[in-house]
């Protein structure tokens, strides 16, 4: 009976996805069919409805619409070009400097906007013509943009960690935010190392040195944007406000920045920004609600324990089990976007990881890093499609240039998995976690 439940749940889910059903509806329908195996259909509908509503009744989830609104304001506020100019100051003298600028700008813009796709579009759209003008191979420059745009999903503030905190049963958001810094920076530095080696071999140019006055001006222009990270994380670490309260502060900060300081956004644009944020929020929350229903259906059928027993039957060695989990997540990331993958597979793999002695914060960073790689991979990687679209390069042209970047990302992922201190050092130092 248990394996019948697994077949019905995942079989119907992937069939519905294959038919083009929106993922939130596919999750809800497959969960309903699964619960219907043990309950009358009217009772199954009542149960899944109650689970969706009760799951969304969470103070933590208030942070998501606020961070989405703050990100949309920043996206419209001319932030990308200022961060690109600041990145030129930081990385402008390295071999193949524009590739390093692209990576640094993605790290900063992604962390501020909280969106890899927005980062790929905004930074990539700015950098692609500059790199083409300097003689860079378009496929190479596109691969740099695609592989680096997810770095901001690890460097806080990150909606991904908020979602994980909810689905994992209340893991500290503050600890998750701090835990993402070192892996996120390692991710960016690893990509810069690969980009530098390739640039050296191809003799890509070094950008002209900026004058001192020009460097100071570009730095001062970017500091207000980067100040958002300082305000948010400083307030959270200092205990001034919670992560949820920080999201509301982020909206006020970005509003003042875009409308008063930079003046790149007018009040006439505000309704459309709010509407876009509402639409995005409704999609995310519907997905979360449906996934909570699926989590209950899986727990009710003991699916996590069945999968745990199956994994431990293969090997009881923690290293082997973690490698299997990561390989499964890498495959899942190829076919599924980050948020639904996080929502569906956290309840399955987190109990296994904790039984092996892994901290929930460490597991959340590992899972997020893993799925960051997934959104850069074909056939359905969102960052891959957006990156190719803005640079007008075909997907098949960037697969080969992406391979060395995939290799370094996988290497750093293994470091994050098997060296827990990379994720836990900052939460332990600042929060005593």
């Amino acid at each position: 009976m248990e394996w019948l439940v697994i077949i019905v749940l995942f079989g119907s889910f992937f069939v519905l996805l294959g038919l083009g059903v929106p993922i939130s509806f596919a999750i809800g329908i497959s969960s309903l069919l699964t619960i219907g195996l043990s309950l009358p259909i009217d009772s199954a509908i009542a149960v899944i409805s109650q689970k969706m509503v009760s799951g969304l009744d969470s103070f933590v989830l208030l942070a998501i619409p606020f961070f989405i609104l703050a990100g949309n304001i920043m996206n419209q506020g001319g932030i990308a070009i200022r961060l690109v100019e600041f990145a030129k100051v930081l990385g402008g003298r390295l071999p193949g400097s524009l590739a390093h600028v692209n990576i640094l700008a993605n790290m900063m813009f992604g962390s501020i906007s909280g969106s890899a796709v927005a980062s790929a579009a905004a930074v990539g759209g700015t950098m692609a013509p500059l790199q083409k003008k300097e003689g860079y191979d378009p496929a190479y420059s596109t691969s740099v943009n695609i592989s680096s745009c997810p770095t901001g999903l690890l460097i806080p503030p990150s909606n991904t960690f908020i979602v994980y905190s909810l689905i994992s049963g209340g893991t500290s958001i503050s600890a998750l935010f701090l835990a993402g810094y070192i892996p996120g920076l390692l991710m960016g530095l690893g990509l810069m190392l690969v980009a530098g080696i390739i640039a050296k071999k191809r003799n890509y140019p070094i950008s002209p040195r900026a004058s001192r006055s020009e460097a100071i001006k570009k730095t001062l222009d970017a500091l207000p944007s980067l100040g958002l990270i300082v305000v948010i994380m400083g307030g959270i670490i200092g205990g001034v406000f919670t992560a949820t309260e920080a999201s509301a502060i982020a909206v006020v900060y970005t509003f003042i920045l875009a409308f008063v300081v930079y003046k790149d956004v007018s009040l006439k644009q505000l309704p459309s920004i709010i509407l876009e944020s509402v639409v995005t929020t409704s999609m995310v929350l519907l997905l979360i609600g449906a996934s909570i229903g699926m989590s209950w259906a899986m727990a009710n059928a003991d699916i996590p324990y069945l999968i745990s027993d199956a994994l431990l039957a293969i090997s009881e060695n923690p290293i082997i089990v973690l490698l299997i989990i990561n390989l499964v997540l890498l495959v899942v990331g190829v076919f599924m976007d980050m948020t639904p993958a996080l929502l569906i597979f956290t309840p399955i793999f987190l109990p296994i990881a904790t039984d092996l002695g892994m901290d929930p914060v460490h597991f959340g960073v590992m899972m997020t890093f893993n799925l960051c790689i997934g959104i850069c991979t074909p056939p359905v990687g969102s960052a891959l499609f957006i990156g190719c679209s803005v640079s007008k390069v075909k997907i098949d042209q960037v697969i080969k240039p992406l391979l060395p970047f995939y290799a370094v990302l996988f290497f750093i992922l293994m470091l994050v998995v098997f060296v827990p201190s990379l994720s836990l050092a900052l939460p332990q130092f600042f929060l005593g976690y």
Side-chain angles (χ1 to χ4, degrees):
M1 177 64 181
E2 290 89 353
W3 289 106
L4 174 63
V5 171
I6 292 177
I7 292 169
V8 170
L9 179 64
F10 292 106
S12 59
F13 173 68
F14 286 110
V15 167
L16 289 168
L17 280 186
L19 294 173
V21 176
I23 192 165
S24 53
F25 290 99
I27 291 171
I29 294 170
S30 59
S31 303
L32 183 61
L33 292 174
T34 304
I35 297 171
L37 292 174
S38 56
L39 294 174
I41 191 63
D42 55 339
S43 299
I45 293 172
V47 167
I48 197 169
S49 300
Q50 289 171 0
K51 294 301 176 185
M52 289 178 67
V53 172
S54 61
L56 291 174
D57 185 18
S58 170
F59 180 71
V60 170
L61 284 180
L62 283 174
I64 291 179
F66 282 123
F67 275 130
I68 288 174
L69 177 56
N72 283 337
I73 293 173
M74 295 289 270
N75 292 346
Q76 298 288 329
I79 306 302
I81 189 63
R82 289 179 172 85
L83 293 179
V84 167
E85 292 299 323
F86 178 57
K88 287 181 182 179
V89 174
L90 297 178
R93 299 300 299 166
L94 297 172
S97 54
L98 290 183
H100 298 293
V101 168
N102 196 330
I103 295 169
L104 289 168
N106 270 331
M107 291 171 69
M108 292 184 286
F109 187 81
S111 65
I112 291 170
S113 67
S115 170
V117 171
S119 186
V123 176
T126 303
M127 293 303 303
L130 296 177
Q131 289 172 302
K132 187 175 181 180
K133 184 179 178 181
E134 292 290 332
Y136 286 71
D137 176 16
Y140 163 74
S141 57
T142 302
S143 67
V144 170
N145 184 47
I146 291 168
S147 59
S148 62
C149 68
T151 51
L153 299 178
L154 283 166
I155 302 172
S158 170
N159 283 336
T160 305
F161 285 143
I162 296 171
V163 173
Y164 172 79
S165 170
L166 175 74
I167 206 72
S168 63
T171 304
S172 169
I173 297 177
S174 301
L176 286 166
F177 277 6
L178 284 168
Y181 270 113
I182 293 177
L185 292 173
L186 283 176
M187 187 179 185
L189 291 173
L191 294 171
M192 289 178 71
L193 176 63
V194 174
I197 294 171
I198 295 173
K200 196 76 173 176
K201 287 182 177 180
R202 298 184 182 181
N203 292 316
Y204 284 140
I206 297 175
S207 297
R209 183 187 297 273
S211 65
R212 180 176 295 182
S213 59
E214 188 179 8
I216 292 173
K217 182 181 183 303
K218 290 178 179 179
T219 302
L220 292 177
D221 279 346
L223 281 181
S225 302
L226 298 173
L228 174 65
I229 301 173
V230 177
V231 170
I232 297 280
M233 294 309 301
I236 292 173
I237 294 170
V240 179
F241 41 71
T242 66
T244 305
E245 293 165 344
S247 65
I249 292 169
V251 172
V252 176
Y253 186 96
T254 54
F255 182 88
I256 294 172
L257 193 64
F259 288 87
V260 179
V261 178
Y262 289 153
K263 299 180 181 178
D264 287 331
V265 182
S266 67
L267 289 175
K268 291 181 180 179
Q269 294 173 270
L270 188 58
S272 64
I273 292 173
I274 293 174
L275 180 60
E276 182 182 354
S277 302
V278 169
V279 171
T280 304
T281 299
S282 62
M283 293 167 59
V284 172
L285 293 184
L286 178 60
L287 186 58
I288 291 173
S291 298
I292 289 171
M294 177 178 270
S295 298
W296 186 88
M298 289 191 294
N300 186 58
D302 290 332
I303 289 176
Y305 298 103
L306 289 171
I307 295 175
S308 174
D309 290 342
L311 277 176
L312 294 175
I314 298 172
S315 174
E316 294 187 0
N317 187 322
I319 295 176
I320 301 299
V321 174
L322 286 175
L323 282 174
I324 294 172
I325 290 174
N326 276 279
L327 288 173
V328 171
L329 290 174
L330 284 170
V331 173
V332 166
V334 170
F335 297 100
M336 192 179 295
D337 205 6
M338 176 177 280
T339 301
L342 193 74
L343 291 165
I344 293 170
F345 289 95
T346 296
I348 295 174
F349 290 133
L350 179 59
I352 301 171
T354 53
D355 285 345
L356 295 174
M358 182 177 255
D359 188 278
V361 170
H362 181 201
F363 179 80
V365 174
M366 179 198 82
M367 194 166 188
T368 301
F369 196 123
N370 193 303
L371 295 172
C372 280
I373 300 175
I375 66 174
C376 301
T377 53
V380 293
S382 54
L384 177 72
F385 283 114
I386 294 298
C388 290
S389 176
V390 296
S391 60
K392 298 179 176 59
V393 174
K394 293 181 180 179
I395 290 176
D396 60 330
Q397 294 177 307
V398 301
I399 301 304
K400 186 177 179 180
L402 274 169
L403 292 178
F405 294 104
Y406 287 150
V408 75
L409 288 176
F410 184 77
F411 174 75
I412 296 171
L413 171 63
M414 290 299 99
L415 284 180
V416 170
V417 172
F418 295 112
V419 185
S421 58
L422 293 177
S423 301
L424 300 178
L426 292 182
Q428 289 169 350
F429 181 78
F430 286 104
L431 303 176
Y433 179 81

